[in-house]
Amino acid sequence: MATAETLTRTTVSHWIDGKPQPATSGRSGAVMNPATGEMIAEVGFASAADVDRAVASAKAASVQWRATALSRRAEIMFAFRDLIAHNRQRIAEIVSTENGKTLSDALGEAARGVENVEFACGVPHLLKGGYTEQASRGVDVYQIRQPLGVVAGITPFNFPAMVPLWMLANAIACGNAFLLKPSEKDPSASVLIAQLAKEAGVPDGVLNLVHGDKVAVDRILDHPDIKAVSFVGSTPVAKYIYETATRNGKRVQALGGAKNHMLVLPDADINMAADAAVSAGYGAAGERCMAISVVVAVGSVADPLIEAIRERVARIKVGSGLDPSSEMGPLITREHRDRVASHLDTASAEGATVAIDGRRDPTTRQNGFFLGPSLIDNAKPGMKCYDQEIFGPVLSVVRVNTYAEAIRLINENPFGNGTAIFTQNGGAARQFQFDVEVGMVGVNVPIPVPVAYYSFGGWKSSLFGDLHMYGPEGVQFYTRAKVVTSRWPDPSASKVDLGFPQVR
Ligand code: NAD
């Protein structure tokens, strides 16, 4: 397994049956250090046969695991939680090295992942069903929730530790065996997580890991022994995953891309709004699904807000994520950086104003995949910079005259992941919460990622499926309900009754 110290031309392996196992496809991908532009490891891609091997191992392990006492499963989750917390620096270093985000951001990611495992430690309580005594005379009815069997998760590059934990903590605690297919761009954090799960007492096969691309994903989507698929990634792939896996009879939650609007009303505190826009727009180089990508400035607030953003951007230090003085790291690949930067040209051509051009940042002359923070003013629907998810450090400002215009803009956008309002008026914030067609809403909070005991999910093209991820809806997703109706009558009173059972 690759660690921060040994990430030099190592090969990242699958993790099946509690040990590293090589890929058999003969195909592999390069794992890059985005801060230096160098290849640091190779990851073997799974063949369909590798996926089959992992599923067979998971299926066998799931039989004993679902029969394991809840108190024992909780005990293992507690140990897992402690091991992840204890190893958070190691996890963060791996994430920062392969993904590029700053170490402090990666530590934050690890901390949010720990919270998901903490939630799953409460599994004995979470799986408590309901019981109705005397539903009819001498008849009791109760509901229990049982695991699905083998379930799978497919995760994106931008949270290589947290998103796997969003899924696997609840899935395993509920008694399932989990197969993870992490992003091939930064696969090593998930190997460490699997190793820590084993150390915590998760039996071999209950957590398996295969690396790879569409070949592995497609086998997951059509494997008959996989009962449910959780996905987080871009909208086109989310839609494909949802359509394919549901057609194959699986339960699916597929979280997609985003275009998160931050609405700033004229009464907002300009400095607070600018701090929030800069933090949420450029943190993690804009590679967060909950990043603010559009500031909707109402009326007179636009000019002073842009000025305040400009002042703050000028002070942002871009550099390697492992350098403690860096506030913003590189993007994930050279191609992605170039695609993000190309939006600045397109925006000008389409009539918007490039107010800050991140291509002028000195780091762009280095080998890493850097782009400085950029700001586009006068963006509008119909322009590429507004219509597409950019997923980089490019913040757009749309100027509108009224709240009504702003809410129409946000509700007409096909994405509905996160949004925020900045105002000092409680009534306006309450109205926004009521009106807005978005799944996660912040009031003076720019990145409203729900805590682990709520659930995470957007609306519209940001989520395909009914149930949101982690928290109570995660438990629902990874279990199915069974309702039992029982009676213990005196057999001597038994008789034939062809009528439909009625409550008496
Ligand atoms: P991606 O869709 O390219 O990849 C996600 C996963 O799908 C990876 O494991 C990848 O190997 C696999 N994949 C990619 N192309 C595939 C294909 N054609 N067929 C089958 N599998 C395929 O996403 P990414 O670039 O890794 O991550 C960034 C995207 O994820 C952004 O759009 C971001 O908004 C989104 N995201 C959303 C959330 C959310 O909660 N809604 C959270 C994080 C990231």
Side-chain angles (χ1 to χ4, degrees):
M1 186 193 63
T3 66
E5 307 85 54
T6 62
L7 279 174
T8 36
R9 293 303 180 118
T10 49
T11 299
V12 185
S13 302
H14 304 328
W15 182 270
I16 302 172
D17 261 337
K19 48 187 173 302
Q21 302 215 8
T24 64
S25 69
R27 297 184 310 116
S28 63
V31 181
M32 308 294 289
N33 177 340
T36 62
E38 288 164 354
M39 178 177 165
I40 46 175
E42 191 176 26
V43 57
F45 284 0
S47 60
D50 292 346
V51 174
D52 290 355
R53 204 152 39 99
V55 175
S57 146
K59 192 178 176 189
S62 71
V63 178
Q64 278 300 318
W65 182 238
R66 71 168 284 226
T68 301
L70 277 173
S71 53
R72 174 70 188 136
R73 280 194 247 148
E75 192 180 20
I76 291 172
M77 295 315 287
F78 271 110
F80 185 41
R81 179 251 169 243
D82 284 351
L83 281 166
I84 302 223
H86 183 72
N87 283 281
R88 62 186 182 277
Q89 181 73 20
R90 234 173 118 198
I91 293 173
E93 281 173 16
I94 292 172
V95 168
S96 181
T97 306
E98 291 187 353
N99 169 284
K101 66 176 70 175
T102 61
L103 200 53
S104 63
D105 202 26
L107 281 165
E109 161 170 6
R112 292 304 286 250
V114 167
E115 289 171 18
N116 292 106
V117 186
E118 271 164 11
F119 177 80
C121 291
V123 69
H125 174 75
L126 295 168
L127 289 186
K128 276 199 296 202
Y131 194 104
T132 304
E133 186 186 45
Q134 205 70 351
S136 183
R137 262 186 301 157
V139 175
D140 301 335
V141 180
Y142 50 98
Q143 191 195 53
I144 50 185
R145 296 203 73 89
Q146 296 188 332
L148 304 176
V150 181
V151 297
I154 299 156
T155 55
F157 79 80
N158 66 325
F159 284 107
M162 182 184 76
V163 172
L165 290 169
W166 279 4
M167 302 173 180
L168 68 87
N170 279 337
I172 289 177
C174 288
N176 301 285
F178 188 84
L179 172 62
L180 175 64
K181 204 302 282 173
S183 171
E184 66 280 22
K185 297 190 177 92
D186 43 16
S188 297
S190 55
V191 183
L192 178 55
I193 288 171
Q195 202 178 48
L196 296 175
K198 180 182 168 96
E199 210 181 310
V202 173
D204 292 352
V206 170
L207 174 58
N208 285 338
L209 175 58
V210 291
H211 300 287
D213 56 1
K214 187 169 163 52
V215 172
V217 172
D218 282 345
R219 183 57 185 146
I220 287 171
L221 300 183
D222 71 13
H223 198 298
D225 289 334
I226 293 179
K227 303 302 175 196
V229 176
S230 300
F231 172 85
V232 175
S234 59
T235 288
V237 183
K239 199 160 180 285
Y240 168 74
I241 300 276
Y242 181 78
E243 287 170 357
T244 312
T246 50
R247 201 182 315 119
N248 292 337
K250 300 185 197 312
R251 188 179 284 198
V252 186
Q253 51 179 187
L255 277 59
K259 196 82 185 173
N260 303 317
H261 295 66
M262 172 173 153
L263 173 55
V264 185
L265 294 186
D267 72 335
D269 182 284
I270 296 288
N271 286 319
M272 189 170 107
D275 286 340
V278 168
S279 312
Y282 303 117
E287 289 177 330
R288 291 182 186 136
C289 62
M290 290 291 276
I292 290 297
S293 44
V294 182
V295 170
V296 186
V298 179
S300 57
V301 84
D303 288 333
L305 182 61
I306 287 175
E307 206 34 55
I309 290 175
R310 221 185 247 288
E311 284 165 18
R312 284 158 178 77
V313 167
R315 294 194 295 266
I316 292 177
K317 164 95 171 33
V318 183
S320 162
L322 290 169
D323 175 347
S325 71
S326 298
E327 294 170 282
M328 195 184 106
L331 281 86
I332 187 72
T333 60
R334 189 179 305 281
E335 299 70 38
H336 182 58
R337 189 272 311 272
D338 293 347
R339 189 165 52 243
V340 170
S342 74
H343 276 282
L344 299 170
D345 285 331
T346 321
S348 300
E350 290 182 336
T353 317
V354 177
I356 305 174
D357 190 335
R359 293 171 296 190
R360 299 214 183 100
D361 193 280
T363 53
T364 57
R365 292 193 287 276
Q366 300 175 9
N367 289 333
F369 314 139
F370 292 101
L371 176 66
S374 305
L375 186 69
I376 298 174
D377 191 8
N378 297 308
K380 288 186 178 57
M383 295 177 179
K384 273 198 179 131
C385 64
Y386 179 80
D387 291 346
Q388 296 184 2
E389 180 184 36
I390 299 177
F391 217 57
V394 178
L395 187 60
S396 300
V397 177
V398 178
R399 295 171 180 244
V400 297
N401 293 316
T402 61
Y403 168 82
E405 223 182 300
I407 198 81
R408 196 176 329 118
L409 178 89
I410 300 173
N411 286 348
E412 283 176 0
N413 193 281
F415 295 107
N417 212 39
T419 189
I421 183 168
F422 276 72
T423 179
Q424 301 192 47
N425 181 333
R430 172 65 174 68
Q431 190 62 41
F432 179 70
Q433 164 202 311
F434 184 78
D435 290 336
V436 78
E437 292 174 18
V438 171
M440 293 172 282
V441 179
V443 175
N444 297 317
V445 172
I447 305 186
V449 175
V451 288
Y453 43 94
Y454 283 80
S455 298
F456 181 108
W459 286 11
K460 302 187 278 186
S461 296
S462 296
L463 184 141
F464 301 89
D466 299 324
L467 289 173
H468 290 193
M469 204 160 274
Y470 70 70
E473 293 189 43
V475 171
Q476 237 180 304
F477 182 78
Y478 291 122
T479 54
R480 53 185 169 174
K482 188 179 270 179
V483 179
V484 181
T485 304
S486 83
R487 64 184 179 126
W488 298 93
D490 177 353
S492 66
S494 178
K495 62 178 172 44
V496 171
D497 179 356
L498 298 189
F500 191 68
Q502 290 176 48
V503 173
R504 293 201 182 91

